[in-house]
Amino acid sequence: MNSATVFEKSRPGRGTSFISGHATPVCADLSPKALRSAPPRLPELTEGEVVRHYTNLSRNNWGVDVGFYPLGSCTMKYNPRLAEQIASWPEFSAAHPLRPVRAAQGFLRIMYETERILSRLCGMARFTLQPAAGAQGELCGMLIIRKHHATRRDRRNTVIVPDSAHGTNPATAALAGFKVVTCPSSDEGLVDIGALKKLVNDDLAGIMLTNPNTLGLFERDIREICYIVHNAGGLVYYDGANFNALVGRFRPGDMGFDVVHLNLHKTFGTPHGGGGPGSGPVGVVEKLEPHLPVPLITKGPEEFELEEHRPLSIGRLNAFAGNALVIVKAYIYMRLLGTAGLREVSGNSVLAANYLKQRLSEVYTPSHPGRCMHEFVLSAERHKNEAGVRAVDIAKRLIDLGFHPPTMYFPLTVPEALMIEPTETENLETLDAFVDALLQIDREARESPEMLHNAPHETPVGRLDEVEAAKNLNVRWQAEPSANTSHSQDASKRKDGQ
Amino acid sequence: MSFAPHTEEDIAQMLGALGLRGVDELFEELKATLPPGDVPEVGQTGEFELRRQLWDMARLNGRPDQTPCFRGAGAYEHYVPAAIPQLLSRGEFFTAYTPYQAEVSQGTLQAMYEFQTMVCELLGMEIANASMYDGASALAEAALMALRISKKRCLLVSDAIHPQWIDVLRTYTANVDAEIVSIPAREGITLPAAVASAIDENTAAVLIQNPNVFGIIEPIREIGYLLAEQSALFIVAAYPTTLGILASPGEAGADIAVAEGQPLGIPLSYGGPYVGLFGTKLEHVRQMPGRISGAAFDGKGRRGYVMTLQAREQHIRRERATSNICSNQALCALAVTIYLSLIGPSGLRTVAEQSYSVAHRLAERLSALPGCSLAYDAQFFNEFVLELPVSADDVERELWNHGIISGLPLGRWWPNHKNEMLFCATEIISDAAIHRLVAAMEEALS
Amino acid sequence: MNIPDDLKYTATHEWIRHTAEGVAVGISDYAQSELTDIVFVELPETGRALNPGEEICALESVKAVAYVYAPVAGTIAAVNERLTKEPELINQDPYGEGWIIRIAPADPEKTVDLLEASAYRQRLESEG
């Protein structure tokens, strides 16, 4: 059974005992109302069965370790093994977050040094390492902007977001209580300065930008954009998802940004984990330092300390100090590469992207002509019109040819978009093989499009019916097959009960 | 050491295809606009040398696995079976991305589905998401969800919830139309009567943590009965290990249940990465934040899994999304899934019983020390507050000199509780460790 | 692209039909094809008052969400309950069984810009 769940493999009475059980039922002195009436229905398997089950699941997964993973805006680079090894040392992994500060100097020193390096890399005055992911970093940044204006008794409620922005930007702005206004892009794919000037008023709290933007293009008017926003009294926020293109060479602070978030799981080589954990440190210019969340790592006269009380801080984002083990891994990455290595990262990632764009542009339509930075977007609109082949068909066929697809249908401003980010850790043979695969797909689009419409052919499951999955919701396993699906609309009629 | 594979020949070949002579030419436009970054001088360090340097830094943390730790307060040291780190180290799991391409991500998606199922079982809820960042942010998101559903503005929050979780809740609700009103927890417990007198027609939700920050078991079933007559939503934050024995939030009538999943197979990690568990009723599925994996069929009738109901999420709903969350804590959620598969229902019960038993033995020994007593009478699970005759900070320092991490001095959170210490014990605390602690305490108190 | 001549349309791709029971509202064939398979309709409550251009409800597909806006002022007289279990009706028969709500109109002058079928068709062509 290919996709049998761990529950279906369970048998009553199976299991491994990891610690010896207690002879007497110790909770006899608890009132029955406090107790559970039925045990949770967790699976019962031996260690061997569990290991086999999850090992087999992993073999249905694609990772950077498996092959090329050119997801635009995700920076799927190689994850160094030294970082994994060191993070597993008990000195790091077994440390309680509330242990006395004097007993955590190893961690605090690493976090302090990381903070210093990131501040200098970005041209910011200070960083917080608290946010657990990029989106939480964005929230942190937007709350700081709000606090800044509130402290000056300046009521500003609007945030501008480009139409090419990643969805987390407007979602975060709304979470921070702002009204979101979208700024259109010019034909060149950059922020339309004329349109921006019309949107700017004294209700503007700030603007959220990525540079290079989600099309992989450098916003060359960035200093003017920052000037326009600053002039109106707003602040400028940098979404660091694309920092791989600039790291070690240019700094967001020099462009005029006031707040920066970075994704350690993108630019700084910590693993993606199948969807986390990440880490989203946030840096600010000096005037915004008082608003950073608590706790902040500081260097005292004798040791490193955690500053918990800052009167103008936005407060706490995390129960503890952030994703400490992820930060340790990023620190190791930065120390392995050094400044010279980080320059190679931006240089080689931009070179690889341009190489691919150049070779693919003969047959595919780039969203915008000319040079790109570390990623670029192709549009399959022409393939759709001429051969009825869409971006999703090209993506799925790439799987058959041994590649993970690029990002599809993002940014929203490009029809049938495929966003490709090779990163700096892919060798030339892989890049060339990827080009060859896409050229083959282009031929197939003209000669045998059914190959594409029915792709992928080689995987354990083919294209799944997402429409039925959404209408007949099955999001947990239950013992009786008929009980497994519940019409998601039935839910609104039901009141209670499992 | 760099991980870029490009040799000089490779670079020359790529530049040749582009008609360029140097990589720097690709940055011409930027150089025209920006000054060169004044970046820090960080040297490249080889793996062997760096490992040695990190070892020196690590030693500044002491040897945590040789330093008995009697602290909980949101992070609990339970035994992590050896198979977990082994399985997580498979590159197909940890170097994968979010499973947007379902056909090549069935490992991640099926594990998510299994995780969701186990979270439902533990919390006693109908549906669950694929994880949040941690328990604290899960509670904050639960509160935001309750505000959206009820369209009311008042959140009743028990004073006995972990104060750092309440801080996170305040940060998340600072800019929405909401008010946080505290429910007093005299004697360390949140009484149904206290909840009843605080509720009114503006109440969006009541938030309770069980066991609470003092380790005390809250009367969640009674509070649930009370709230069944009201329109306010019932939100319960649980300590998942205790759910091998204690009533689940679902059994108590919770509308939304959250938990910090760290005790289930994730090492202490100095606070992160952890994992937030989040479950709710099926009728609220469209208001639930976070990713969801759902079962689906392909053209050949084969069953697989996809991310479903994505229209709730940021990449589709944008500023009207249920949350801004994108990356969650997938690998940590996988650790929890494997943990629960390994220990099973009886193993979970054993861990809970052992933790309860060791903690009660510890409480007995400590409260017998001169001048010491338990601060509260109410039933506790595996944490308790000990009142000392002297400053808890002083005792903490003394015990550290003995190589022991004491209970948590509560003066840091409540200035007039400077003589109180929050102790925790789990199944990993040995009799020898207790003995060592008691001896050190005796010395510290004399 | 099916654009019946006997209906009027809005710039936001709704259609209206005057009936004895009120003004029926749905989304056009173009809108449903852009949205692709609709999986969920968040039906509004009857009795709710609407101003022209006000958001009525959301339509979800697996990859997008679209909002339906009130073409005329009035109160919601009826909603198409069948859409709860069969949201695909909007895709299959957007002008017939896929109707979404019926509005009991208030002031007949209070509407958004309403387009004749030919004007709507032209608009779609120019938008490309």
Side-chain angles (χ1 to χ4, degrees):
Chain A
M1 275 164 85
N2 192 15
S3 67
T5 64
V6 69
F7 308 99
E8 288 155 306
K9 297 178 180 175
S10 164
R11 293 291 179 274
R14 284 207 187 133
T16 308
S17 177
F18 293 96
I19 50 171
S20 3
H22 212 266
T24 52
V26 294
C27 297
D29 33 319
L30 289 175
S31 112
K33 280 203 219 149
L35 299 178
R36 209 173 166 122
S37 31
R41 290 166 299 182
L42 297 172
E44 296 177 79
L45 294 90
T46 63
E47 178 178 311
E49 290 172 316
V50 172
V51 169
R52 184 171 288 174
H53 176 77
Y54 289 101
T55 299
N56 277 301
L57 279 194
S58 78
R59 295 168 87 215
N60 288 334
N61 242 25
W62 193 276
V64 173
D65 280 4
V66 174
F68 192 35
Y69 215 135
L71 281 178
S73 264
C74 300
T75 314
M76 304 298 294
K77 66 172 76 183
Y78 173 68
N79 307 124
R81 289 313 195 258
L82 182 67
E84 299 303 305
Q85 184 188 70
I86 292 178
S88 73
W89 289 349
E91 288 78 2
F92 294 121
S93 63
H96 193 288
L98 294 174
R99 53 185 10 225
V101 160
R102 67 186 71 91
Q105 290 297 301
F107 261 115
L108 296 180
R109 171 154 175 210
I110 288 172
M111 288 161 118
Y112 179 81
E113 286 188 21
T114 301
E115 189 276 323
R116 289 288 82 217
I117 295 173
L118 292 180
S119 292
R120 293 282 304 285
L121 279 177
C122 294
M124 291 287 116
R126 195 107 176 250
F127 259 82
T128 168
L129 303 179
Q130 255 211 18
Q136 208 185 43
E138 288 179 36
L139 178 63
C140 177
M142 298 316 288
L143 290 176
I144 288 174
I145 289 178
R146 204 175 240 303
K147 188 83 179 184
H148 166 79
H149 292 306
T151 311
R152 301 162 93 234
R153 302 197 194 290
D154 195 356
R155 294 188 66 83
R156 288 166 176 270
N157 286 309
T158 312
V159 164
I160 295 177
V161 169
D163 57 4
S164 56
H166 192 276
T168 49
N169 291 168
T172 303
L175 193 54
F178 289 113
K179 196 176 66 128
V180 176
V181 168
T182 308
C183 183
S185 306
S186 66
D187 290 335
E188 287 182 282
L190 307 175
V191 168
D192 184 331
I193 301 277
L196 176 65
K197 285 183 181 160
K198 295 203 191 103
L199 292 173
V200 159
N201 54 33
D202 56 16
D203 190 49
L204 182 66
I207 186 171
M208 298 176 83
L209 291 173
T210 310
N211 196 9
N213 65 21
T214 57
L215 293 161
L217 304 172
F218 179 68
E219 293 275 3
R220 60 169 181 268
D221 295 320
I222 185 63
R223 294 184 91 168
E224 193 187 346
I225 293 171
C226 291
Y227 176 77
I228 291 170
V229 173
H230 285 144
N231 209 33
L235 294 176
V236 193
Y237 176 90
Y238 181 76
D239 177 333
N242 291 332
F243 193 50
N244 215 43
L246 305 175
V247 64
R249 288 172 188 262
F250 299 100
R251 310 186 307 172
D254 295 329
M255 296 180 202
F257 286 98
D258 302 293
V259 188
V260 168
H261 99 257
L262 297 176
N263 299 61
L264 297 186
H265 48 295
K266 294 187 181 185
T267 319
F268 295 93
T270 71
H272 284 84
S279 175
V282 171
V284 295
V285 292
E286 199 180 328
K287 71 177 181 229
L288 298 176
E289 256 193 78
H291 307 310
L292 285 169
V294 289
L296 261 194
I297 293 142
T298 58
K299 193 170 179 181
E302 284 175 38
E303 54 177 25
F304 296 98
E305 290 158 6
L306 282 173
E307 206 182 321
E308 302 266 357
H309 300 288
R310 292 168 67 86
L312 292 176
S313 160
I314 58 167
R316 190 177 269 281
L317 277 173
N318 232 304
F320 303 112
N323 281 350
L325 290 189
V326 177
I327 294 163
V328 168
K329 293 182 189 181
Y331 175 75
I332 290 166
Y333 179 82
M334 292 191 287
R335 292 288 314 276
L336 283 172
L337 268 65
T339 313
L342 291 174
R343 277 185 70 89
E344 269 183 43
V345 166
S346 49
N348 286 333
S349 62
V350 172
L351 176 61
N354 276 283
Y355 176 72
L356 284 183
K357 181 175 181 179
Q358 176 79 11
R359 292 202 54 201
L360 290 170
S361 292
E362 295 154 27
V363 161
Y364 289 87
T365 317
S367 65
H368 298 85
R371 298 273 174 252
C372 60
M373 297 220 71
H374 67 311
E375 66 187 8
F376 60 98
V377 180
L378 299 176
S379 170
E381 179 91 339
R382 185 171 60 76
H383 288 79
K384 178 175 144 195
N385 294 336
E386 291 175 9
V389 159
R390 304 182 61 214
V392 60
D393 300 316
I394 297 170
K396 301 298 185 190
R397 184 64 178 145
L398 270 169
I399 294 174
D400 287 333
L401 301 181
F403 298 95
H404 190 284
T407 303
M408 308 186 301
Y409 299 105
F410 181 77
L412 304 173
T413 47
V414 176
E416 301 298 325
L418 288 167
M419 191 199 299
I420 297 169
E421 180 186 354
T423 82
E424 72 283 2
T425 58
E426 299 295 333
N427 60 32
L428 191 50
E429 302 86 84
T430 304
L431 299 178
D432 285 337
F434 182 65
V435 170
D436 290 341
L438 279 172
L439 295 180
Q440 177 182 332
I441 289 175
D442 173 67
R443 284 194 297 277
E444 286 178 356
R446 282 175 271 119
E447 293 161 18
S448 48
E450 336 73 55
M451 283 298 279
L452 307 183
H453 293 310
N454 299 329
H457 305 274
E458 316 278 332
T459 45
V461 293
R463 289 198 214 186
L464 295 158
D465 190 343
E466 298 186 32
V467 173
E468 275 310 298
K471 291 206 297 206
N472 295 311
L473 211 55
N474 175 351
V475 292
R476 67 177 288 188
W477 187 85
Q478 280 173 315
E480 298 82 32
S482 56
N484 264 2
T485 64
S486 15
H487 204 286
S488 57
Q489 300 286 8
D490 281 343
S492 51
K493 305 275 177 2
R494 292 167 55 174
K495 280 186 73 183
D496 205 306
Q498 295 194 62
Chain B
M1 184 183 188
S2 161
F3 298 95
H6 305 306
T7 62
E8 299 218 0
E9 289 81 24
D10 295 332
I11 293 178
Q13 201 177 317
M14 288 194 272
L15 288 171
L18 294 166
L20 298 172
R21 276 186 312 210
V23 169
D24 279 355
E25 285 177 61
L26 291 164
F27 295 92
E28 289 298 341
E29 198 179 42
L30 282 79
K31 284 198 285 213
T33 331
L34 305 171
D38 172 24
V39 294
E41 274 312 306
V42 180
Q44 271 191 347
T45 312
E47 179 170 314
F48 176 63
E49 172 61 26
L50 185 62
R51 196 168 180 280
R52 223 174 43 76
Q53 290 185 21
L54 263 293
W55 176 234
D56 289 340
M57 286 192 225
R59 288 205 324 241
L60 299 175
N61 288 340
R63 276 299 302 252
D65 56 336
Q66 288 169 2
T67 310
C69 177
F70 293 89
R71 226 159 257 209
Y76 300 94
E77 191 171 6
H78 292 281
Y79 178 67
V80 175
I84 298 177
Q86 291 272 316
L87 285 166
L88 294 186
S89 71
R90 290 187 68 90
E92 299 93 328
F93 277 136
F94 85 88
T95 70
Y97 189 63
T98 305
Y100 288 122
Q101 295 290 352
E103 299 88 339
V104 287
S105 315
Q106 287 300 296
T108 298
L109 286 162
Q110 183 171 332
M112 277 163 68
Y113 181 80
E114 294 176 357
F115 171 79
Q116 286 160 199
T117 306
M118 292 182 200
V119 170
C120 286
E121 284 296 326
L122 270 188
L123 298 177
M125 306 303 289
E126 292 176 332
I127 55 166
N129 68 21
S131 78
M132 316 282 315
Y133 304 130
D134 64 356
S137 61
L139 182 64
E141 293 262 20
L144 292 176
M145 180 173 157
L147 292 168
R148 285 195 297 272
I149 292 172
S150 68
K151 304 206 203 308
K152 301 192 183 157
R153 48 186 311 280
C154 188
L155 296 167
L156 294 186
V157 177
S158 162
D159 272 349
I161 292 180
H162 195 301
Q164 286 176 188
W165 287 39
I166 297 182
D167 285 346
V168 172
L169 174 66
R170 286 190 190 282
T171 306
Y172 268 75
T173 53
N175 299 295
V176 300
D177 184 22
E179 195 193 341
I180 294 180
V181 171
S182 73
I183 312 173
R186 315 239 148 74
E187 318 296 324
I189 192 167
T190 313
L191 295 172
V195 176
S197 59
I199 288 192
D200 63 22
E201 64 279 358
N202 286 322
T203 307
V206 171
L207 282 67
I208 305 284
Q209 186 172 31
N210 187 36
N212 64 29
V213 69
F214 307 117
I216 286 167
I217 299 168
E218 296 277 31
I220 56 171
R221 280 194 202 265
E222 290 86 323
I223 295 173
Y225 296 147
L226 208 159
L227 291 175
E229 312 296 313
Q230 311 268 353
S231 60
L233 277 77
F234 189 22
I235 300 177
V236 177
Y239 169 177
T241 307
T242 70
L243 295 175
I245 292 175
L246 294 183
S248 70
E251 284 175 320
D255 294 287
I256 309 174
V258 300
E260 171 51 67
Q262 174 274 322
L264 303 175
I266 296 168
L268 291 171
S269 314
Y270 199 57
Y274 285 174
V275 62
L277 312 186
F278 195 110
T280 187
K281 294 183 167 171
L282 191 50
E283 71 191 83
H284 299 314
V285 65
R286 285 194 145 75
Q287 287 301 328
M288 184 170 74
R291 295 179 171 148
I292 308 176
S293 171
F297 293 90
D298 74 358
K300 296 195 172 131
R302 295 176 291 195
R303 185 182 68 189
Y305 304 89
V306 287
M307 295 220 297
T308 191
L309 298 189
Q310 294 188 58
R312 299 159 305 122
E313 297 187 62
Q314 44 76 25
H315 54 294
I316 292 179
R317 213 81 174 215
R318 297 175 74 87
E319 64 265 20
R320 297 173 56 156
T322 49
S323 165
N324 71 339
I325 191 167
C326 187
S327 281
N328 47 319
Q329 304 284 93
L331 199 68
C332 301
L334 179 61
V336 169
T337 313
I338 297 172
Y339 177 84
L340 293 173
S341 302
L342 286 170
I343 67 167
S346 63
L348 187 65
R349 192 182 175 90
T350 303
V351 170
E353 284 181 340
Q354 280 273 61
S355 300
Y356 178 95
S357 149
V358 173
H360 279 76
R361 239 183 8 256
L362 179 68
E364 226 176 302
R365 303 273 314 264
L366 290 178
S367 54
L369 291 172
C372 295
S373 59
L374 294 183
Y376 303 111
D377 291 328
Q379 294 271 358
F380 63 90
F381 199 84
N382 69 329
E383 278 186 288
F384 55 90
V385 179
L386 190 73
E387 221 172 298
L388 305 168
V390 296
S391 144
D393 285 339
D394 290 343
V395 172
E396 180 193 49
R397 198 174 311 116
E398 272 297 313
L399 257 57
W400 175 244
N401 293 337
H402 283 88
I404 298 172
I405 296 180
S406 68
L408 184 73
L410 291 185
R412 68 170 58 194
W413 289 336
W414 297 286
N416 52 341
H417 291 247
K418 283 200 157 57
N419 287 7
E420 286 176 17
M421 221 174 221
L422 178 65
F423 276 91
C424 171
T426 66
E427 80 283 8
I428 67 148
I429 297 284
S430 62
D431 285 340
I434 294 183
H435 203 73
R436 225 176 111 187
L437 171 72
V438 171
M441 287 284 288
E442 271 166 352
E443 223 185 286
L445 292 172
S446 62
Chain C
M1 199 56 56
N2 184 17
I3 303 170
D5 287 317
D6 60 325
L7 302 176
K8 290 225 178 22
Y9 301 84
T10 68
T12 45
H13 309 291
E14 291 86 13
W15 56 261
I16 67 169
R17 176 190 287 122
H18 292 278
T19 75
E21 294 94 14
V23 177
V25 181
I27 64 168
S28 70
D29 190 31
Y30 168 78
Q32 73 73 20
S33 73
E34 284 293 295
L35 203 48
T36 70
D37 299 278
I38 295 171
V39 298
F40 181 71
V41 179
E42 202 183 346
L43 287 170
E45 289 184 357
T46 52
R48 194 175 125 204
L50 294 172
N51 287 314
E54 192 179 326
E55 189 186 296
I56 304 174
C57 64
L59 308 175
E60 279 179 30
S61 68
V62 292
K63 54 164 210 146
V65 64
Y67 301 95
V68 182
Y69 299 96
V72 304
T75 35
I76 300 181
V79 301
N80 186 353
E81 300 278 2
R82 284 185 68 194
L83 294 178
T84 304
K85 278 231 160 67
E86 302 168 81
E88 63 273 12
L89 288 174
I90 298 179
N91 299 108
Q92 291 162 0
D93 189 10
Y95 302 108
E97 307 280 6
W99 67 274
I100 302 174
I101 65 165
R102 270 202 305 272
I103 301 177
D107 184 347
E109 301 293 304
K110 284 178 83 182
T111 71
V112 300
D113 269 346
L114 293 172
L115 305 164
E116 296 289 339
S118 50
Y120 180 61
R121 206 173 284 124
Q122 244 179 342
R123 198 193 164 83
L124 287 182
E125 269 155 41
S126 67
E127 265 171 25

